[in-house]
Amino acid sequence: RVDVGFDVDNRGDFSLAALRLSTQKNLPLYSDDRVFQMVALNDNSQILGFGTDVFVNALYSQGYIDLEKLTNIYLQLIDWRYKFIIPPLEVMIYLAEQYSVKPPGAELKKIAMYVQSCMRDPGLFCGPEKTADIPLPIAIKLYTEWFLLATKFIIKCWTNKNFDYSIAEKYTDWVILYMLPTVPKYLHEDGYRIASITKRIILGNAISQLMTV
């Protein structure tokens, strides 16, 4: 039995039970509450926090679910308005192959709309946060990861043996027009500069890789 210090007269106190238990037992915190995840990340106890997206990725990597199931879970999370997740590249390619006859397909369009919605979300934290290396806003990291995913997706389309050049070209045009993330709406001026530099670096690397295809 673990004493998590409940105040039985304060129902709001129960919302902290998972965080307190995780801290006392020194175990990773499984929570889809972004506030709890940030508290876990910045807490002196150094406990780890993760959500459903990390959990299902682990299930897939260990072979407990297949790619189709993983894809359906991510689409369901997006439908549930689960914020700030990034589907694996395998999910994007899987969906692209499903609609190669008439790209991009409803699911990829949904993901593209989700990307832009995340970038405009007032809940996207734009201040610096504690990290293992350089304190950067989670907004910058999310923007960078989506940009990387989009460019990797383009490269994969051009190297996919199931796509001819016309299909790869259609997906490339679509990504550039609709999926590349806009700079997060609430970033400060320095954040905008970092995002702009990041975009140029990623695009430069992608172009270099495409020239070797």
Side-chain angles (χ1 to χ4, degrees):
R1 183 177 182 273
V2 178
D3 182 9
V4 291
F6 283 142
D7 179 357
V8 295
D9 296 322
N10 182 4
R11 291 191 175 186
D13 204 38
F14 283 86
S15 64
L16 301 175
L19 182 60
R20 289 176 178 173
L21 182 61
S22 177
T23 301
Q24 289 189 21
K25 301 295 288 184
N26 196 29
L27 293 172
L29 173 67
Y30 180 9
S31 173
D32 286 328
D33 188 315
R34 296 301 187 189
V35 175
F36 274 15
Q37 290 181 16
M38 289 301 101
V39 171
L41 178 65
N42 291 279
D43 188 77
N44 290 332
S45 63
Q46 299 296 311
I47 61 173
L48 299 176
F50 66 98
T52 298
D53 53 334
V54 175
F55 178 63
V56 297
N57 285 345
L59 290 178
Y60 173 68
S61 65
Q62 295 297 316
Y64 291 105
I65 60 175
D66 60 18
L67 183 54
E68 180 180 6
K69 182 65 174 179
L70 179 69
T71 300
N72 290 336
I73 291 174
Y74 267 96
L75 292 173
Q76 183 65 75
L77 291 175
I78 289 174
D79 284 339
W80 286 341
R81 301 180 65 82
Y82 191 108
K83 299 296 182 66
F84 315 138
I85 56 173
I86 303 176
L89 179 59
E90 294 96 327
V91 167
M92 302 292 294
I93 295 299
Y94 175 81
L95 291 172
E97 290 179 343
Q98 306 306 305
Y99 292 94
S100 60
V101 175
K102 192 177 181 181
E107 283 80 7
L108 283 176
K109 288 180 180 179
K110 179 190 298 183
I111 291 175
M113 292 177 63
Y114 173 78
V115 175
Q116 310 309 338
S117 176
C118 286
M119 295 300 110
R120 296 190 299 267
D121 195 305
L124 181 58
F125 186 59
C126 293
E129 65 168 341
K130 177 181 176 182
T131 61
D133 37 37
I134 302 174
L136 285 175
I138 189 174
I140 290 280
K141 292 192 286 186
L142 186 71
Y143 170 82
T144 300
E145 289 179 22
W146 269 114
F147 218 102
L148 281 169
L149 177 62
T151 54
K152 288 178 181 178
F153 175 73
I154 291 175
I155 293 170
K156 280 290 186 180
C157 286
W158 283 97
T159 57
N160 192 321
K161 295 179 180 180
N162 296 322
F163 296 162
D164 58 30
Y165 279 3
S166 65
I167 298 299
E169 186 175 18
K170 287 179 181 178
Y171 274 122
T172 300
D173 291 343
W174 174 77
V175 168
I176 292 173
L177 288 173
Y178 299 106
M179 191 182 159
L180 287 180
T182 56
V183 175
K185 182 177 180 179
Y186 298 97
L187 269 182
H188 52 75
E189 185 176 347
D190 289 341
Y192 266 87
R193 284 199 291 268
I194 294 173
S196 179
I197 293 171
T198 300
K199 177 173 66 175
R200 290 198 295 269
I201 292 173
I202 295 173
L203 285 176
N205 288 337
I207 291 172
S208 297
Q209 293 183 54
L210 283 171
M211 290 177 66
T212 64
V213 174

